[in-house]
Amino acid sequence: PASREIRWAQSAAQARRVLEDRWVRVILGTTFLEGAAMFGALAYVGAELHERFGLGLGMIGAILASFGVGALVYSWTASMLVPRLGQPGLAISGAVALATGYAMLAAMPTAWLAPPAIALVGLGFYMLHNTLQTNATQMAPTRRGSAVALFASLFFLGQSLGVAMAGRLVEAIGSGWTLTISALLVLPVGMGFAMAR
């Protein structure tokens, strides 16, 4: 037990030293907000497709898989996008793609718009998140393990908070407005990071 307490104390001290750097706080804060704004409404897209269009669960699963199509598009185009846009441009473009995808989901009159909208959300997420992740691995070179652990922890904490908050919003104002709010929230996350960069 004593050695375990020592390890916890050492980990806390390492985390405190990592957080002393302003740029680290910018990256971690952006990552937390990204997790909350990006994944909050996404958790309820399947239910929205079922309620609004009466789709079966198998079809909804296939539509949600188009998120992976966005990831593939990013992997195919990253070698062109990264040098052309740079990190600030990737963050802004990713946020715009996310916002556009969520706005499409909020306003879509027919279910056939859902796959391209979700693919756009996937593309935007990987453009923004990979930029943040690249910075996370470099933001504290002498304490890389602690820095990346904080990055992952804050991302998943933001994700959990976002899903819980989106659930309350869905109950209060409906999925469409919740998706619209997500569209509006992701824009300043990416743009704020790009400006800080």
Side-chain angles (χ1 to χ4, degrees):
S3 63
R4 188 178 300 162
E5 288 177 14
I6 291 170
R7 286 197 298 272
W8 273 106
Q10 289 172 341
S11 296
Q14 285 273 23
R16 189 171 56 251
R17 284 193 287 270
V18 169
L19 290 169
E20 288 171 356
D21 187 290
R22 178 194 164 275
W23 181 236
V24 169
R25 293 194 303 272
V26 167
I27 293 170
L28 295 179
T30 304
T31 301
F32 177 81
L33 294 172
E34 175 208 25
M38 156 60 204
F39 280 101
L42 188 65
Y44 300 96
V45 169
E48 172 71 0
L49 290 170
H50 179 69
E51 278 188 30
R52 199 191 306 184
F53 302 111
L55 299 180
L57 298 181
M59 178 62 71
I60 290 170
I63 290 172
L64 292 174
S66 59
F67 185 90
V69 173
L72 288 173
V73 169
Y74 176 75
S75 69
W76 293 330
T77 59
S79 60
M80 176 188 68
L81 292 174
V82 172
R84 181 171 295 181
L85 297 175
Q87 290 188 357
L90 278 172
I92 291 171
S93 299
V96 169
L98 278 165
T100 303
Y102 275 129
M104 286 172 64
L105 287 169
M108 62 183 172
T110 59
W112 68 265
L113 282 174
I118 293 170
L120 198 55
V121 169
L123 173 63
F125 169 70
Y126 282 97
M127 291 175 78
L128 176 58
H129 188 72
N130 281 6
T131 303
L132 292 171
Q133 192 168 11
T134 299
N135 278 271
T137 61
Q138 301 166 354
M139 64 187 178
T142 60
R143 297 183 178 90
R144 199 181 306 271
S146 296
V148 174
L150 284 169
F151 172 83
S153 297
L154 285 168
F155 176 64
F156 291 120
L157 282 171
Q159 199 175 54
S160 301
L161 177 66
V163 170
M165 291 175 63
R168 294 289 181 91
L169 286 172
V170 167
E171 288 180 0
I173 59 176
S175 299
W177 282 109
T178 304
L179 289 162
T180 302
I181 290 169
S182 286
L184 295 173
L185 288 177
V186 294
L187 281 172
V189 172
M191 291 181 178
F193 175 77
M195 289 172 63
R197 185 76 179 81

